[in-house]
Amino acid sequence: MNEKENLLRVYRHQKPEWTPIYMESVYLVGLISNNETGLRGKTVREKVQLDEFGVEWEMGHGAPVPVPGNYLLEDICNWRDIKFPEPKTWDWSQMAAMELKDYDGSKVLTYFSEQGCFDRLTQLMGFENALMALLEEPEECSNFFSAIADYKIELIECVAKHYQPDVFCYTDDLAKVDSLFMSPETYREIIKPHHARIIEAILRNGMIAEQHTCGKCDAIMDDYVEIGVQSFFPAQASNDLEGIQKKHGDKLIITGGFDSQGPAGFPDANIDTINAEALRMVEQYAVNGSYLCMPMIGAIGAEPTPLQLMQMGAFMQTFRSECQKRGI
Amino acid sequence: MSNIEEVKALVETGKSKKVVTAVQEALNAGVAAQEILDGMIASMGIVGEKFSSGEIFVPEMLIAAKAMSKGVEVLKPIMAGSDSTSFGTCIMGTVAGDLHDIGKNLVVMMLESSGFTMVDLGVDVSAEKFVEAVKENDNVVLVACSGLLTTTMPALKEAVKTIKAAFPDMKVIVGGAPVTPEYAAEIGADGYAPDAGSSATKAKELIGVA
């Protein structure tokens, strides 16, 4: 059994031969092709690149961050002035050839599609204005999200055809470290209907639906499961992950579990701290099954430092050996 | 409902357009500008408490701060020259290496709404820039440093250390997702707030006006 066959058993809620670790079992694509964070975009000045919508991203501080204070949209009522990308016009064969050239089929292929409905609203009009718009102009926000869902569905269809991934990861950061940004009711009324269309398109195109939401979003986990989400990523430890496993363990897998806000997430975390975190994740999550472990060490898109490589090595060794000891 | 009660209710529920009229009506009815301002500050205190307890979320807090700001615009010409409108100046910024401004912006709004004069240095602010801002601005009573990333926590420590070396008596408050009260104490900060809602209470406590 290879890593892919083993992890697919987890997604099907069957017992795997070993508890998989994300870095070993997943082959990630999409970060280059969809240019949602400017990684493939035009450089407008030093370390600043444009994404597909024309939003400026700062590249000089680890993971790309939208340039603060420089927004394309002041009033949500003018969202129709924004030029949306047209995925069908992109050269998908070339992008897939480039991203899949080293893929040998032994790992699960995951297409990572950044910037969901709410993310995109915040990048176009700034965080505070976006959140206020949810309350002040709910109908226009909903219309905007519907247009974003149309764009995402077109992208999903292109991805399914040209990449044929096992998993499509749709990202939308709806939460901060201790709660949702907006009330669950606001999510349900304004965002969820469009979110549901996107998840339905992923499933209709034969892919596993993975939802990326950072922060504590367990208040809407029932909603995620209801619309068909099958994997919750990166499932940060501030959520009641054991409770989610207990309630939804036959429908949803937990991908993550690392306490990135705790001592193990500090840049200078020592090996004892990292090992303790690995043992906690086995004890609290891996034993319940339907679990894909993912340590969050280092930043996406940034080269790992020698210390981070050492932390990652220690984590994986401790996690694997504890799982073996427990027969999971 | 009295004029002042109406203003307070409109601020609390974030009715920006209506609050302008209500403040003007209160002034026309003879209510003192300072009393109206105090009423709005009290409303924002309630908003902050409701946010900290999870009763309301960020959008509700933001529209309340926006309403407060609209109300203050009406009062400003009347209160110009009055020295009783501010607790003093607070310098705020996100520390070096960190471009995240969401939490910082929320705290700026809440501190401004609670009576501080805010100087927002933006993001990626070096320790030296905090010190320069203290020197360049009048009546600075507090410096607030924010950081979202665990990787920029050393920069938070450096900022506190540098500010304290230059101004040993200056009160420094820190916050951000990875920051804990223990870490704040360890790096020599005077105070810590877990969220924007409670930042105003802590800030006033630090300068002795709570």
Side-chain angles (χ1 to χ4, degrees):
Chain A
M1 182 175 279
N2 63 18
E3 287 283 354
K4 177 172 180 168
E5 291 161 339
N6 186 58
L7 176 52
L8 286 176
R9 290 185 64 81
V10 175
Y11 283 116
R12 293 181 194 123
H13 305 284
Q14 298 164 342
K15 191 174 185 315
E17 278 196 15
W18 62 90
T19 304
I21 299 176
Y22 195 87
M23 289 70 186
E24 294 178 329
S25 56
V26 174
Y27 193 92
L28 202 60
V29 291
L31 291 167
I32 296 172
S33 62
N34 59 39
N35 190 31
E36 294 269 18
T37 58
L39 283 171
R40 199 171 53 85
K42 184 183 161 193
T43 300
V44 286
R45 57 183 178 279
E46 194 186 0
K47 292 180 180 168
V48 175
Q49 291 172 217
L50 295 181
D51 71 15
E52 286 299 317
F53 284 77
V55 172
E56 292 185 352
W57 290 76
E58 158 76 50
M59 299 291 169
H61 291 75
V65 179
V67 175
N70 191 3
Y71 305 116
L72 298 179
L73 190 60
E74 196 169 322
D75 183 346
I76 183 62
C77 297
N78 298 328
W79 69 266
R80 290 169 188 82
D81 296 341
I82 299 292
K83 190 177 177 339
F84 278 53
E86 296 172 21
K88 278 184 183 157
T89 65
W90 301 349
D91 187 347
W92 284 94
S93 302
Q94 188 202 29
M95 291 188 302
M98 182 174 63
E99 286 201 287
L100 298 175
K101 68 178 168 34
D102 296 324
Y103 179 58
D104 64 5
S106 64
K107 295 182 178 184
V108 160
L109 184 64
T110 295
Y111 189 93
F112 198 75
S113 174
E114 296 181 273
Q115 320 315 346
C117 291
F118 176 69
D119 283 336
R120 186 46 74 185
L121 183 69
T122 67
Q123 287 141 16
L124 288 172
M125 64 187 306
F127 205 80
E128 294 84 359
N129 279 338
L131 282 170
M132 287 193 282
L134 290 176
L135 297 187
E136 293 176 336
E137 297 287 351
E139 201 173 318
E140 281 296 10
C141 284
S142 183
N143 292 336
F144 170 79
F145 294 150
S146 179
I148 290 287
D150 291 342
Y151 153 63
K152 284 286 178 186
I153 291 167
E154 188 179 315
L155 186 132
I156 286 163
E157 285 165 355
C158 293
V159 167
K161 184 176 171 189
H162 294 277
Y163 282 76
Q164 298 169 337
D166 304 291
V167 177
F168 187 98
C169 182
Y170 167 74
T171 83
D172 208 6
D173 282 319
L174 302 167
K176 54 192 171 69
V177 68
D178 58 357
S179 74
L180 291 174
F181 287 121
M182 71 292 295
S183 70
E185 293 73 27
T186 301
Y187 163 75
R188 285 173 193 134
E189 283 167 25
I190 307 173
I191 302 173
K192 185 179 172 185
H194 314 291
H195 188 186
R197 282 179 58 217
I198 292 165
I199 298 299
E200 192 272 332
I202 296 169
L203 299 173
R204 177 162 33 87
N205 281 278
M207 297 175 282
I208 292 164
E210 183 165 79
Q211 175 68 38
H212 166 105
T213 306
C214 284
K216 183 171 169 58
C217 55
D218 45 12
I220 53 171
M221 204 50 55
D222 290 356
D223 301 86
Y224 280 8
V225 173
E226 181 199 315
I227 64 177
V229 170
Q230 295 164 309
S231 167
F232 171 38
F233 167 102
Q236 290 183 306
S238 54
N239 293 281
D240 175 15
L241 297 181
E242 290 164 287
I244 293 169
Q245 286 182 310
K246 200 172 176 182
K247 188 171 182 184
H248 296 300
D250 58 339
K251 301 179 201 73
L252 181 79
I253 81 156
I254 294 297
T255 300
F258 189 78
D259 186 4
S260 53
Q261 303 295 337
F266 291 0
D268 58 351
N270 64 34
I271 297 307
D272 288 345
T273 304
I274 293 289
N275 287 340
E277 179 63 2
L279 294 175
R280 184 192 69 81
M281 288 162 72
V282 175
E283 175 69 33
Q284 286 189 253
Y285 316 132
V287 292
N288 301 324
S290 294
Y291 180 63
L292 171 55
C293 170
M294 197 186 78
M296 291 171 73
I297 296 172
I300 298 169
E303 276 295 310
T305 64
L307 175 62
Q308 285 167 344
L309 288 172
M310 202 164 70
Q311 290 169 330
M312 186 63 86
F315 178 95
M316 286 167 75
Q317 193 180 347
T318 302
F319 185 87
R320 258 196 308 258
S321 115
E322 184 65 17
C323 283
Q324 278 166 6
K325 206 189 299 174
R326 292 168 182 252
I328 55 175
Chain B
M1 189 185 286
S2 71
N3 294 103
I4 194 77
E5 288 304 318
E6 189 186 355
V7 169
K8 287 169 73 175
L10 290 170
V11 167
E12 208 177 313
T13 51
K15 302 287 190 287
S16 289
K17 288 173 188 163
K18 289 183 180 173
V19 86
V20 172
T21 312
V23 168
Q24 192 57 58
E25 282 174 0
L27 288 169
N28 295 345
V31 182
Q34 185 64 51
E35 193 184 340
I36 299 171
L37 182 65
D38 290 345
M40 291 197 290
I41 290 173
S43 284
M44 285 307 293
I46 294 168
V47 168
E49 282 168 19
K50 284 184 176 177
F51 176 75
S52 295
S53 70
E55 191 180 329
I56 62 169
F57 291 78
V58 184
E60 288 82 1
M61 187 168 75
L62 285 170
I63 61 168
K66 186 177 168 185
M68 162 100 187
S69 163
K70 295 285 180 192
V72 169
E73 276 176 31
V74 180
L75 296 178
K76 261 184 186 168
I78 299 157
M79 301 187 79
S82 163
D83 58 2
S84 61
T85 55
S86 173
F87 292 136
T89 299
C90 172
I91 307 288
M92 169 132 210
T94 304
V95 297
D98 199 331
L99 296 185
H100 294 85
D101 65 347
I102 300 163
K104 185 261 300 170
N105 291 350
L106 294 177
V107 173
V108 167
M109 278 184 223
M110 291 307 287
L111 293 190
E112 196 157 39
S113 300
S114 71
F116 285 88
T117 300
M118 296 303 295
V119 174
D120 183 355
L121 301 179
V123 297
D124 194 12
V125 178
S126 67
E128 293 73 26
K129 204 170 166 189
F130 279 108
V131 172
E132 282 165 26
V134 176
K135 286 179 188 164
E136 288 167 5
N137 288 278
D138 294 332
N139 193 24
V140 178
V141 293
L142 183 68
V143 180
C145 306
S146 167
L148 177 88
L149 302 170
T150 53
T151 48
T152 52
M153 289 171 80
L156 202 57
K157 183 179 180 179
E158 181 63 25
V160 175
K161 191 177 142 196
T162 309
I163 296 161
K164 285 287 184 183
F167 301 98
D169 297 329
M170 180 59 64
K171 298 294 181 189
V172 181
I173 185 170
V174 296
V179 183
T180 61
E182 293 75 25
Y183 185 75
E186 186 188 318
I187 64 174
D190 300 289
Y192 154 84
D195 55 58
S198 58
S199 63
T201 309
K202 189 68 196 178
K204 286 193 277 186
E205 184 189 310
L206 284 178
I207 63 161
V209 295

